[in-house]
Amino acid sequence: MQIKVLDTTLRDGEQTPGVSLTSKEKLRIASKLDEIGLDYIEAGSAITSEGERESIKEITSQGFNAEILSFSRPLTRDIDYCLDCDVDAVNLVVPTSDLHIFDKLKITKDELIEMSNSAVDYCKDHGLTVELSAEDASRSSIDFLRKVFLNAIDQGADRVCVCDTVGILTPDTSFELFNNLRDINAPISCHYHNDFGLAVANTLSAIKAGACEFHSTVNGIGERAGNTSFEECVVAINRLLPDFSTDIKIHEIYNISKLVARLTGVYIQPNKAIVGENAFAHESGIHSDGIIKNSATYEPMTPELVGRTRRFIVGKHMGTHGLDSRLKELGLDVDKVQLQQICDNIKELADKGKTVTDVDLQAIADNVLDINHEDRIKLEDVTIVSGNRVMPTASVKLNVDGEEILNAGVGIGPVDAAINAIKSLEIFDDIDFIEYHVDAITGGTDALIDVIIKLQKGDRILSARGTEPDIIDASVKAYISGVNRLLQE
């Protein structure tokens, strides 16, 4: 059975605290969502503001294959704004729990049904497709929920949706709820929130019980604990539910995940399923050995399926098989004695609590193999001007391939300014700065600062470290060290 997917990243996802997307950013996300095969895209809530309406109009003007919706309350004013945006459909949200009807709206159940029916009728009279979503359905009387749905369908609603607004369902109760609604003669979808970490599991249960569509957000972003995670749900359906599938281009999932993370500024936790940086990373020696022999031993799917690549992590748990594979990726061939020596040195370093980065590995290997790389970029000087009324400004003197270069940059802080002064040079164009972490590793105001960064060049991701009493020096040295290693590779 083909399962339809409605993406609400641009509406429910944008309600994540601290997230506010520009019209251009929304269009970029919508374009990518359409490209990878989304069936429905909720482009926003037209009632919100003039800027929101302009964003929705920009999306509806593109002629996407996906059906474009706007969120709407069951009010004529809301629906008129949706019509002004030229959307294909509305996600008509109608509260169905006693709590919402009596305490929020302060109306009777009969008045709620009348309001719902009138709104559906108005939408259909104006040529809109209607998906009627029952807000707080998971805390509603099943009989009343059925009554609202059947009335809406009689008025012409095209689809209905069960919303677990506060994320209280479990996989069992989700299955039971949808199983009790099987007799409804209309497509039925599910919209789950992740307050107890069960949104994906509940969505899969709903699908097994009869839901033919689900709502989700990329990376599971949204209010409070977020929504059903798009990438987790899509991959789970296609890999774990043999009777169901979607039209999503799964190999593009990582790309859309990174795009949304970058534009929203919402960090993806490293251990997040499917798209987290550690999802296909292996350190354990037993695991690495198994993966090298047959990836199915410790991976439920190949990383290439979702546009990823496998990584072997350097650390005290790794064995010689994984280490040898990682060294070969760095272009280093070693014999068994050298391999064991490098492995022992890594474990000794890791036992002291030090994170072993790729740069550390290269230094250890160079020492064992007696290899010295000539760095292409050398830092000669960095100067910072900063203050309450001064935009942080950095000037740097670098030696790049033997040529002395002076450059300057500004930023929101002195570290940002220093990095901007460096990376604005052409040699840094195809290197992305993807992660920054800082720790004070000794006490006091003169503490040693340990900076670890992650850089990416193409499909290569590399970690580098700088440890100095000054956070700016530590950050700059870590960055240049990592870039030198990427350029050598």
Side-chain angles (χ1 to χ4, degrees):
M1 177 181 174
Q2 200 76 12
I3 301 299
K4 302 289 186 180
V5 187
L6 183 149
D7 181 87
T8 183
T9 303
L10 302 180
R11 199 270 301 175
D12 232 348
E14 197 191 20
Q15 291 173 199
T16 303
V19 173
S20 182
L21 297 166
T22 67
S23 180
K24 287 184 178 179
E25 289 169 340
K26 283 196 167 192
L27 181 58
R28 285 187 65 191
I29 292 172
S31 298
K32 189 63 178 178
L33 291 170
D34 186 65
E35 179 188 324
I36 69 174
L38 265 294
D39 300 285
Y40 314 118
I41 299 173
E42 190 172 23
S45 177
I47 190 65
T48 301
S49 67
E50 183 59 37
E52 181 83 342
R53 289 188 284 278
E54 289 303 317
S55 295
I56 297 172
K57 288 176 186 177
E58 187 70 24
I59 292 170
T60 58
S61 69
Q62 302 301 311
F64 290 145
N65 292 321
E67 177 184 279
I68 308 300
L69 303 90
S70 169
F71 171 95
S72 175
R73 295 171 298 178
L75 303 173
T76 301
R77 179 167 173 254
D78 282 36
I79 298 165
D80 283 340
Y81 275 128
C82 296
L83 290 166
D84 288 344
C85 294
D86 199 28
V87 294
D88 305 309
V90 290
N91 178 21
L92 194 63
V93 179
V94 177
T96 56
S97 69
D98 289 356
L99 180 65
H100 279 243
I101 295 170
F102 300 144
D103 291 8
K104 185 177 78 172
L105 298 183
K106 299 187 182 302
I107 59 176
T108 67
K109 288 188 173 182
D110 287 341
E111 288 173 324
L112 185 284
I113 289 178
E114 183 180 347
M115 178 188 295
S116 171
N117 290 347
S118 295
V120 173
D121 193 45
Y122 189 78
C123 289
K124 298 307 294 184
D125 283 348
H126 289 80
L128 291 169
T129 297
V130 175
E131 178 160 333
L132 184 129
S133 292
E135 185 179 16
D136 209 24
S138 53
R139 293 189 292 186
S140 303
S141 156
I142 186 68
D143 292 333
F144 183 68
L145 180 63
R146 182 189 302 277
K147 186 175 181 179
V148 171
F149 281 164
L150 293 176
N151 269 271
I153 293 165
D154 285 344
Q155 295 299 127
D158 301 276
R159 309 185 295 269
V160 294
C161 176
V162 171
C163 299
D164 185 16
T165 302
V166 290
I168 61 166
L169 290 177
T170 66
D172 288 343
T173 55
S174 175
F175 185 92
E176 182 182 0
L177 175 56
F178 273 83
N179 198 42
N180 287 333
L181 296 172
R182 276 185 183 272
D183 59 326
I184 288 182
N185 188 28
I188 186 167
S189 60
C190 57
H191 178 112
Y192 286 146
H193 285 259
N194 201 40
D195 294 79
F196 288 90
L198 295 170
V200 171
N202 289 339
T203 298
L204 299 180
S205 288
I207 289 168
K208 291 170 72 175
C212 59
E213 173 196 329
F214 70 90
H215 296 193
S216 64
T217 59
V218 176
N219 299 332
I221 63 174
E223 287 188 275
R224 304 187 313 279
N227 292 45
T228 296
S229 171
F230 162 74
E231 59 285 345
E232 293 176 23
C233 215
V234 167
V235 176
I237 288 170
N238 285 273
R239 296 290 293 181
L240 304 179
L241 303 184
D243 296 328
F244 303 94
S245 62
T246 70
D247 276 335
I248 303 299
K249 297 174 183 175
I250 298 181
H251 63 281
E252 291 287 344
I253 276 181
Y254 186 57
N255 289 335
I256 185 69
S257 170
K258 297 296 284 185
L259 175 66
V260 169
R262 187 166 63 251
L263 295 182
T264 60
V266 179
Y267 169 73
I268 302 173
Q269 64 199 60
N271 64 328
K272 190 180 190 305
I274 313 300
V275 294
E277 285 305 311
N278 294 345
F280 297 97
H282 305 272
E283 181 183 330
S284 163
I286 295 172
H287 284 212
S288 298
D289 181 41
I291 288 290
I292 291 167
K293 292 171 180 174
N294 184 334
S295 65
T297 53
Y298 290 104
E299 287 178 346
M301 73 197 88
T302 62
E304 291 78 15
L305 177 73
V306 292
R308 303 292 305 277
T309 55
R310 183 179 298 110
R311 291 190 299 130
F312 292 104
I313 304 301
V314 179
K316 68 179 179 181
H317 303 104
M318 81 179 310
T320 53
H321 289 90
L323 177 58
D324 189 42
S325 177
R326 187 72 190 94
L327 289 169
K328 283 183 168 59
E329 289 177 6
L330 296 175
L332 298 170
D333 288 316
V334 298
D335 59 32
K336 288 185 178 180
V337 174
Q338 292 168 330
L339 179 64
Q340 190 59 56
Q341 188 176 350
I342 294 170
C343 189
D344 291 342
N345 288 349
I346 288 169
K347 290 178 184 289
E348 182 182 351
L349 201 59
D351 279 338
K352 295 176 181 177
K354 181 177 170 67
T355 300
V356 183
T357 69
D358 290 343
V359 173
D360 294 322
L361 172 60
Q362 185 76 51
I364 292 169
D366 286 354
N367 185 54
V368 171
L369 299 175
D370 196 25
I371 297 172
N372 290 308
H373 290 291
E374 181 66 28
D375 289 337
R376 293 182 59 187
I377 305 165
K378 296 176 183 176
L379 176 68
E380 295 187 355
D381 187 47
V382 56
T383 302
I384 302 290
V385 177
S386 184
N388 290 337
R389 299 179 180 178
V390 178
M391 170 81 71
T393 304
S395 61
V396 294
K397 182 191 292 186
L398 302 172
N399 187 300
V400 180
D401 295 330
E403 178 186 355
E404 187 176 277
I405 295 176
L406 295 172
N407 204 36
V410 297
I412 59 173
V415 171
D416 188 43
I419 298 298
N420 287 340
I422 297 169
K423 72 179 184 180
S424 60
L425 299 174
E426 186 177 346
I427 194 170
F428 297 89
D429 281 353
D430 59 349
I431 295 175
D432 295 321
F433 197 133
I434 61 174
E435 192 173 314
Y436 178 87
H437 181 79
V438 61
D439 280 317
I441 57 177
T442 57
T445 56
D446 60 346
L448 274 177
I449 303 299
D450 193 31
V451 173
I452 299 175
I453 66 171
K454 280 187 182 178
L455 303 175
Q456 184 167 6
K457 184 173 187 282
D459 61 356
R460 301 282 297 115
I461 296 176
L462 178 145
S463 298
R465 163 187 259 119
T467 305
E468 296 286 337
D470 185 287
I471 189 173
I472 299 168
D473 287 345
S475 301
V476 168
K477 287 179 180 179
Y479 183 58
I480 291 177
S481 175
V483 170
N484 274 318
R485 185 60 56 210
L486 283 172
L487 293 176
Q488 286 164 1
E489 291 176 5

